[in-house]
Amino acid sequence: MAPIPFKIFAYATAALICLISLVYFGLPQSLHQPLTTLSDYSPSALRKDVFSSIQNETLGFQKIFVLNMPERSDKRDSISLAASLTGIELNFVSGVNGSTVPTKALPKGQESRKMSDRTIGSWRAHMDAIRLIVEQNLGSALILEDDADWDVNVKSQLADFARGSRYLLGNSTDAATFSPYGDGWDLLWVGLCHDGIPKKDGEDKRVFVIEGDETSVVHKKLHMNNPEILENYPEHSRIVHMVGGPICTFGYALSRTGAQKVLYALSVKELKGIFDNALSWWCTGHTQDSKCISAQPTYFYQHRFAGGKGKSSDIHPNDPPKQKGETWNIRYSARLNMEKLMLGQTDYEDSYPDD
């Protein structure tokens, strides 16, 4: 019989070999390759299909944050249900009553409280969500307002958008990247009212055209200030480009470095105006070498709820009442198709049929 110490040695050696094998062969390869931090890791970086992570519950981002005033339980109910039915996971960030933000907590440029309490609260809530990206060391996050709506086909839509963003960033469609949307972006403005193509000398004026997108609304039915921007492209097209002057923040994604830059530019340094304008100026001014990308028609838009006066907006209390909810520019609205999704029906309500 072998001495007991030898048995212990043999078992210990076998256990050590198993542990080494598990670490180097059983775990994803990228976990033992040099990375800045573990949160930089994206499984899409090593998969043959770099767009596959867009099909996950966070649309290829590390988290999705939703801004929601605690008292607006109705809005939380609605967006939570829409997200659940379309396979999306949300994290809620409490909205802010601007009257509770002391003047001394406002950035340079707002010492005299030039903005209303509502717009101060909106700015602060966005900053709180952006700060979470920094504090939690997230690789990226999508930020939505609680009245945002999207198409039931949003995951396939964003996969097409990713091809455009990668083109603009110089990442081929099969290049290994940490984000399925490519590497090097600061902000992806995927929920807006309208935007334009950059016009200044030296700016990137390239456009990536997505043709044959049957979920895209025909041009004449779009609610945009500048529908002519799409006149040179076929119906059912979307265009992806560097931002030219976006307005509205229904939905936007920030990389970690983008979040750091925006937190500095719009809070630590100064604040020149209401949040969406200030964010647009930051992008178009290329402050801190900002790289911001958008698409038109957009992928997220404000849902206007059925109900009484002011039901839809916490910033515009005089919005007129509505008998039926609606979402501009979204063809197969998740909000308007919730019952069909629950019942497993696929004959979705088309808010913008071609004719």
Side-chain angles (χ1 to χ4, degrees):
M1 180 181 295
I4 293 177
F6 175 80
K7 281 188 175 181
I8 295 174
F9 175 80
Y11 292 153
T13 301
L16 181 60
I17 291 171
C18 290
L19 179 61
I20 293 172
S21 298
L22 178 62
V23 169
Y24 281 92
F25 299 104
L27 293 177
Q29 182 183 358
S30 64
L31 289 181
H32 48 78
Q33 289 187 354
L35 297 175
T36 302
T37 66
L38 185 59
S39 58
D40 280 324
Y41 169 71
S42 167
S44 67
L46 293 174
R47 292 176 184 166
K48 185 176 180 181
D49 180 4
V50 298
F51 305 104
S52 58
S53 65
I54 296 174
Q55 305 305 311
N56 68 20
E57 294 182 338
T58 54
L59 304 177
F61 306 104
Q62 201 161 351
K63 284 189 177 182
I64 299 176
F65 293 119
V66 177
L67 309 181
N68 169 253
M69 294 295 290
E71 63 270 22
R72 291 305 304 265
S73 55
D74 57 327
K75 286 189 172 184
R76 181 161 179 169
D77 288 350
S78 180
I79 196 169
S80 294
L81 183 56
S84 174
L85 292 169
T86 51
I88 295 173
E89 181 181 291
L90 306 177
N91 292 271
F92 286 87
V93 177
S94 292
V96 177
N97 184 329
S99 64
T100 67
V101 180
T103 301
K104 62 184 177 182
L106 297 175
K108 175 185 173 183
Q110 297 300 322
E111 297 89 346
S112 58
R113 298 186 79 91
K114 299 175 184 177
M115 302 191 302
S116 69
D117 283 342
R118 291 189 181 94
T119 53
I120 288 173
S122 172
W123 160 80
R124 186 60 255 172
H126 280 279
M127 287 297 103
D128 287 349
I130 293 167
R131 189 177 64 200
L132 283 175
I133 301 174
V134 175
E135 291 176 340
Q136 297 180 15
N137 202 31
L138 302 178
S140 65
L142 175 64
I143 298 173
L144 300 175
E145 295 178 345
D146 63 1
D147 52 5
D149 194 6
W150 53 89
D151 197 287
V152 298
N153 304 287
V154 68
K155 292 183 178 181
S156 61
Q157 290 177 337
L158 289 178
D160 285 336
F161 170 75
R163 298 178 193 277
S165 61
R166 294 174 74 92
Y167 163 75
L168 294 171
L169 294 165
N171 302 144
S172 66
T173 54
D174 58 355
T177 54
F178 291 123
S179 167
Y181 300 95
D183 289 342
W185 57 272
D186 290 309
L187 187 150
L188 304 177
W189 210 312
V190 290
L192 45 73
C193 295
H194 64 271
D195 192 10
I197 307 295
K199 297 179 180 179
K200 297 177 184 176
D201 291 342
E203 290 189 315
D204 188 347
K205 301 177 179 62
R206 292 176 299 157
V207 173
F208 183 90
V209 184
I210 302 167
E211 295 186 3
D213 180 354
E214 293 299 321
T215 68
S216 179
V217 179
V218 294
H219 302 165
K220 67 181 180 180
K221 294 188 176 184
L222 286 168
H223 294 267
M224 297 170 60
N225 287 357
N226 55 341
E228 67 279 359
I229 197 171
L230 296 168
E231 287 178 354
N232 295 327
Y233 306 103
E235 294 289 2
H236 300 299
S237 294
R238 292 183 199 268
I239 58 174
V240 183
H241 55 87
M242 307 305 290
V243 303
I247 296 297
C248 304
T249 49
F250 307 131
Y252 60 95
L254 287 166
S255 65
R256 180 191 303 132
T257 55
Q260 292 168 338
K261 292 175 181 180
V262 173
L263 189 61
Y264 171 75
L266 273 60
S267 182
V268 175
K269 184 181 179 183
E270 62 183 338
L271 181 63
K272 296 180 179 179
I274 61 176
F275 176 73
D276 63 339
N277 287 345
L279 190 62
S280 181
W281 297 331
W282 175 78
C283 280
T284 56
H286 303 290
T287 310
Q288 292 98 41
D289 191 29
S290 60
K291 290 182 176 62
C292 307
I293 298 172
S294 71
Q296 297 179 90
T298 193
Y299 296 105
F300 296 86
Y301 207 89
Q302 179 190 35
H303 179 70
R304 291 175 169 84
F305 296 87
K309 179 180 177 181
K311 168 81 171 177
S312 292
S313 177
D314 296 315
I315 296 179
H316 305 291
N318 294 319
D319 276 0
K322 299 190 73 63
Q323 292 301 311
K324 184 180 186 299
E326 66 172 349
T327 305
W328 287 356
N329 302 332
I330 303 296
R331 187 161 187 180
Y332 300 104
S333 156
R335 305 273 193 154
L336 299 177
N337 280 287
M338 288 195 289
E339 189 167 356
K340 287 182 177 291
L341 288 165
M342 277 186 283
L343 297 174
Q345 299 172 359
T346 56
D347 57 331
Y348 303 124
E349 178 180 331
D350 185 352
S351 298
Y352 292 94
D354 290 356
D355 48 17

